[in-house]
Amino acid sequence: MPGPSPGLHRALLGLWAALGLGLFGLSVVAQEPFWADLQPRVALVERGGSLWLNCSTNCPRPERGGLETSLRRNGTQRGLRWLARQLVDIREPETQPVCFFRCARRTLQARGLIRTFQRPDRVELVPLPAWQPVGENFTLSCRVPGAGPRGSLTLTLLRGARELIRRSFSGEPPRARGAVLTATVLARREDHGANFSCRAELDLRPHGLGLFENSSAPRELRTFAAVPGQPAQLQLNATENDDRRGFFCDATLEVDGETLRKNESAELRVLYAPRLDDSDCPRSWTWPEGPEQTLRCEARGNPEPSVHCARPDGGAVLALGLLGPVTRALAGTYHCTATNVQGQAVKDVTLTVEYAPALDSVGCPERITWLEGTEASLSCVAHGVPPPNVNCVRSGEARVVEGTLRVVREHAGTYRCEATNARGSAAKNVAVTVEYGPSFEEVSCPSNWTWVEGSGQLFSCEVDGKPEPSVECVGSGGTSEGALLPLAPPDPGPRAPQIPRELAPGTYICNATNQHGSVVKMVTVSAESPPQMDESTCPSHQTWLEGADAAALACSARGRPSPQVLCSREGAPRPQRLRVSRQDAGIYRCLATNAHGTDARIVTVGVEYRPVVAELAASPPGGVRPGGNFTLTCRAEAWPPAQISWRAPPGALNIGLSSNNSTLSVAGAMGSHGGEYECAATNAHGRHTRRITVRVAGPWLWVAVSGAAGGAALLAAGAGLAFYVQSTACKKGEYNVQEAESSGEAVCLNGAGAGAGGGGGAEGATEAAGTAEAPAGGEVFAIQLTSA
């Protein structure tokens, strides 16, 4: 808001004087949902002064606003719902500014009232007679031109400091200016040399301003008293032409023989009632707005009449005889009254003020809205004198728009309207908007739409219509019954609707509505999704069984359309096999693909297999004597790990087992500990056993064994060279028994067993030799134990 100025302070003081009227205006405004306000609503400003007016509204977003007045402007400040304007050089007695705003297709207005006052700067007392005879009346006449308003004036005629007559002009019209006070006074001897004057008081204290006073220059009265004698008389029939005619009278007076001469000249004043002739006060005036003019309406009469011209409705008053600007506010018919003591004359005078055209928002709004299919006409009313001629042409065309149109949307656009009269021209652009009901197009709102989960896309249903229609799509059956279909906004922003995680497919009914109607369209929505794998469809850990038929990974994916799933081993590719091998274990990557994307998952494959007892050994390997210690160790290959169990000879006591049963130990061997021991390995996929024979023998047996061992060593040396290659491949525990059952290693192992058996046979071995052999699944392991 602008800072206050001295003119604004004076306007605020004037506002207090019109508080009642302002409160009444505010109460009227409050009845409307939106209003315009003008402050100060009523102001009293000194003639030639300035004033700030504040025009405001409570409309949230007014389209435009302004302040219409014929007064000069110096500056304007503006906000969204207000504007402040400084009016300067205010000279008109009364003017009514109009504050307006355009809000919700309505024009809000507030009218104000600005009146001017003029101090009594000139107070004139009509000159007194040069010599006034004692005992005769003379006239005192006081004139205060231009001061006003007259209703606040008081004039007082004074003899020295004593009041002779006092008159208040209260009740006069607000536009009335200037005043005359006339009084008839009887001349007395003591009045000789007395000073007469006139005092004027303009009392604006009720309006919050003050009391302004001024007095005329004093005038001295000179009187004389003649010696009664025979008067000389001259008689004539006076006419108005005799007014101011001079007469001369010469008198002589003898006093004590001395002749005193005195002569006197006089001017004849012929008094007559006022007359308003067309030559001095024309019945009609036509002036252009702007240039300063002197308004004259003079009356003939004696004494000189005072002329007052005012509108019959109590409006503007013509400042007669003063130079001032001509404004359109002065136009109108005035009732002129000429008054003097002899009577009065009345005459009606018409003042026409011509000015260039103006196109305001009331007569020619900047924006016009038409409805398609109705009839409308583009008419702009211009202010101006003489009445302007207005033509409107569409932008880019030359044809003038005339008459009534059948509105179609092609009529929308910008039109240039030009108003012309003899004083000038004015132009204005008018934007015409054509509104129409909603309609669907297949391109902007398809009848079939596929929603892809996670795509980040919403259904786009754009509707043609003005104003922009609101669109809502509601499911009409099945899983979509009553569900709202989220729509993509025309202009995506931070408040765009969230993208749903799931959307029910089905049939939706889209309804587009604006203030001019509604339209319905059916949309079929199908839902698809990109591939998705999780633990339920593709476990991250899977197990195969060695020896089973080769198969693919158990991996599938959800998605529409149904995805294709391909799995491949990371690192070395998986060889093509008919059956599962433990070499197939490893890390696999599965990829699911459909038209909407891919999904990958890492799967760890483990291969399980049946148990095999890979090693069954005794320690010490040379045998055991009675009372000695021995240990049997059983090692199995299996996955999941095998459970180890033992079968000992009947009657064998004090046998110890390790925590995982892989080791059997005997402390203090006895004869009952001799015999066959069996180790069994078991898991979920099967069971496998191997056996070993343990003998407990005395000292004589060790000697025989030693001799026999020497001979056997020589024989074994020759045979060992021949079977070296085979024997190197028959080391126990260094191969996978299950894979080698049909291989050369298995033959080697069985051959070794057979050779051992073939050399002597299980039954051919002698107890004296201290050897014990027993078949164990086609394999024979011989352990010789010797007592101490």
Side-chain angles (χ1 to χ4, degrees):
M1 293 293 290
S5 66
L8 183 58
H9 283 300
R10 292 195 295 272
L12 292 176
L13 292 176
L15 177 62
W16 288 102
L19 181 59
L21 180 59
L23 291 177
F24 172 75
L26 288 177
S27 66
V28 174
V29 172
Q31 296 174 3
E32 296 291 335
F34 297 122
W35 44 256
D37 187 30
L38 182 64
Q39 292 295 333
R41 186 63 66 92
V42 178
L44 189 61
V45 184
E46 185 170 5
R47 187 174 186 270
S50 62
L51 173 68
W52 277 95
L53 287 183
N54 191 338
C55 176
S56 61
T57 182
N58 68 337
C59 180
R61 298 193 66 84
E63 298 175 14
R64 68 183 301 272
L67 182 66
E68 290 188 351
T69 177
S70 59
L71 301 177
R72 291 176 55 192
R73 310 164 186 174
N74 185 40
T76 301
Q77 297 188 11
R78 187 183 299 272
L80 176 61
R81 295 188 290 272
W82 63 271
L83 65 88
R85 179 165 291 162
Q86 186 184 30
L87 307 179
V88 297
D89 194 22
I90 303 174
R91 295 181 176 273
E92 298 179 18
E94 184 175 279
T95 185
Q96 295 183 358
V98 178
C99 164
F100 70 91
F101 286 94
R102 185 70 177 172
C103 178
R105 301 183 181 178
R106 295 180 56 239
T107 299
L108 311 175
Q109 288 187 348
R111 291 184 177 271
L113 178 62
I114 301 175
R115 289 182 174 141
T116 59
F117 70 91
Q118 184 170 339
R119 305 173 189 238
D121 297 328
R122 293 172 53 196
V123 182
E124 301 172 352
L125 184 66
V126 176
L128 301 177
W131 287 94
Q132 175 63 36
V134 174
E136 296 182 8
N137 291 330
F138 67 96
T139 301
L140 290 177
S141 181
C142 178
R143 180 173 178 267
V144 184
R150 187 187 300 165
S152 299
L153 270 176
T154 300
L155 299 184
T156 305
L157 293 173
L158 302 168
R159 182 186 187 278
R162 182 172 63 89
E163 291 186 2
L164 297 177
I165 184 170
R166 181 183 180 90
R167 181 183 175 188
S168 172
F169 295 88
S170 60
E172 291 281 334
R175 287 179 171 270
R177 297 292 187 272
V180 175
L181 176 60
T182 302
T184 301
V185 181
L186 180 64
R188 301 172 300 170
R189 287 183 179 271
E190 56 268 29
D191 290 335
H192 182 70
N195 287 325
F196 291 83
S197 62
C198 177
R199 183 176 66 230
E201 299 175 353
L202 181 64
D203 190 1
L204 299 180
R205 289 175 294 184
H207 304 291
L209 294 179
L211 176 65
F212 303 97
E213 298 178 296
N214 195 12
S215 297
S216 68
R219 293 187 182 274
E220 183 181 2
L221 180 66
R222 294 185 297 174
T223 64
F224 68 93
V227 177
Q230 185 66 32
Q233 295 182 348
L234 175 64
Q235 292 184 351
L236 74 160
N237 293 325
T239 66
E240 63 180 77
N241 294 326
D242 294 325
D243 187 42
R244 297 188 180 276
R245 182 178 177 184
F247 294 88
F248 184 81
C249 179
D250 186 18
T252 60
L253 180 63
E254 292 185 5
V255 179
D256 295 334
E258 183 179 352
T259 301
L260 299 178
R261 295 183 63 88
K262 184 175 183 181
N263 53 62
E264 191 81 24
S265 63
E267 184 181 70
L268 177 62
R269 299 301 306 272
V270 179
L271 303 179
Y272 54 95
R275 287 202 315 235
L276 290 169
D277 298 330
D278 289 345
S279 59
D280 298 324
C281 185
R283 292 184 180 275
S284 63
W285 294 323
T286 300
W287 286 340
E289 184 180 40
E292 292 189 340
Q293 301 284 350
T294 300
L295 307 179
R296 297 190 182 276
C297 180
E298 298 178 350
R300 298 179 62 185
N302 199 17
E304 182 181 358
S306 63
V307 182
H308 177 74
C309 294
R311 288 180 181 170
D313 57 0
V317 175
L318 291 181
L320 299 174
L322 299 177
L323 182 65
V326 177
T327 64
R328 66 192 67 179
L330 294 178
T333 299
Y334 292 82
H335 196 63
C336 294
T337 303
T339 305
N340 67 8
V341 294
Q342 301 298 316
Q344 68 177 16
V346 176
K347 187 176 187 179
D348 286 338
V349 173
T350 300
L351 174 60
T352 301
V353 178
E354 294 186 347
Y355 52 92
L359 293 167
D360 59 20
S361 297
V362 178
C364 189
E366 289 81 359
R367 297 182 181 276
I368 298 176
T369 300
W370 291 342
L371 178 61
E372 187 177 42
T374 62
E375 291 186 347
S377 60
L378 181 59
S379 60
C380 275
V381 177
H383 301 288
V385 177
N389 181 35
V390 182
N391 290 324
C392 295
V393 177
R394 186 174 181 177
S395 179
E397 299 180 359
R399 183 173 57 88
V400 175
V401 179
E402 295 178 331
T404 302
L405 302 175
R406 186 70 177 178
V407 178
V408 296
R409 61 190 69 181
E410 287 75 17
H411 286 144
T414 300
Y415 294 78
R416 183 171 181 80
C417 296
E418 186 172 6
T420 306
N421 68 3
R423 294 296 175 183
S425 63
K428 186 175 188 178
N429 287 335
V430 178
V432 174
T433 301
V434 176
E435 295 187 350
Y436 46 90
S439 62
F440 288 106
E441 296 292 340
E442 184 65 24
V443 176
S444 57
C445 187
S447 301
N448 295 280
W449 180 66
T450 300
W451 175 75
V452 180
E453 180 181 357
S455 65
Q457 293 183 350
L458 294 172
F459 181 62
S460 176
C461 186
E462 298 180 4
V463 184
D464 188 19
K466 282 196 176 186
E468 182 178 352
S470 62
V471 183
E472 185 179 66
C473 299
V474 182
S476 63
T479 58
S480 65
E481 178 70 34
L484 286 177
L485 180 61
L487 302 177
D491 299 317
R495 296 187 178 182
Q498 294 184 351
I499 300 172
R501 294 181 58 84
E502 295 183 358
L503 185 64
T507 300
Y508 290 79
I509 297 178
C510 294
N511 189 358
T513 305
N514 68 6
Q515 64 192 51
H516 303 303
S518 63
V519 65
V520 173
K521 181 172 185 177
M522 298 187 67
V523 176
T524 301
V525 176
S526 58
E528 296 187 355
S529 59
Q532 185 178 9
M533 295 188 294
D534 54 22
E535 193 66 25
S536 64
T537 60
C538 185
S540 57
H541 291 81
Q542 299 187 27
T543 302
W544 291 344
L545 178 62
E546 187 176 48
D549 292 340
L553 283 175
C555 275
S556 63
R558 291 187 294 270
R560 289 185 297 272
S562 181
Q564 180 183 7
V565 182
L566 296 176
C567 300
S568 60
R569 182 175 180 179
E570 293 190 350
R574 177 189 178 191
Q576 297 293 329
R577 307 175 187 271
L578 296 178
R579 295 184 179 277
V580 175
S581 169
R582 66 189 66 180
Q583 278 77 22
D584 294 333
I587 305 300
Y588 290 76
R589 185 174 186 269
C590 293
L591 188 67
T593 306
N594 70 3
H596 303 301
T598 60
D599 190 19
R601 190 165 178 84
I602 301 300
V603 179
T604 301
V605 175
V607 177
E608 297 184 353
Y609 45 90
R610 295 184 294 274
V612 172
V613 178
E615 180 181 6
L616 182 61
S619 177
V624 62
R625 293 178 298 174
N629 301 332
F630 69 91
T631 301
L632 299 181
T633 300
C634 181
R635 184 176 64 83
E637 294 182 356
W639 193 262
Q643 299 290 329
I644 303 298
S645 62
W646 293 88
R647 183 175 60 80
L653 301 176
N654 299 327
I655 295 176
L657 296 175
S658 64
S659 59
N660 59 357
N661 288 359
S662 62
T663 301
L664 182 148
S665 59
V666 173
M670 297 183 297
S672 59
H673 290 114
E676 186 178 69
Y677 288 79
E678 181 183 87
C679 173
T682 307
N683 69 4
H685 304 300
R687 185 172 184 271
H688 186 250
T689 63
R690 294 187 71 170
R691 293 185 294 276
I692 189 171
T693 301
V694 175
R695 292 185 182 275
V696 179
W700 58 269
L701 184 58
W702 287 98
V703 175
V705 169
S706 299
L714 294 176
L715 293 174
L721 182 61
F723 295 98
Y724 174 75
V725 176
Q726 280 187 318
S727 63
T728 58
C730 295
K731 296 179 180 179
K732 301 177 183 61
E734 296 182 359
Y735 56 90
N736 186 293
V737 177
Q738 186 171 353
E739 288 188 349
E741 286 181 342
S742 60
S743 66
E745 293 180 282
V747 174
C748 170
L749 180 61
N750 292 333
E763 283 75 348
T766 62
E767 286 188 16
T771 60
E773 300 175 356
E779 297 178 322
V780 178
F781 295 89
I783 300 177
Q784 177 176 312
L785 302 176
T786 305
S787 60

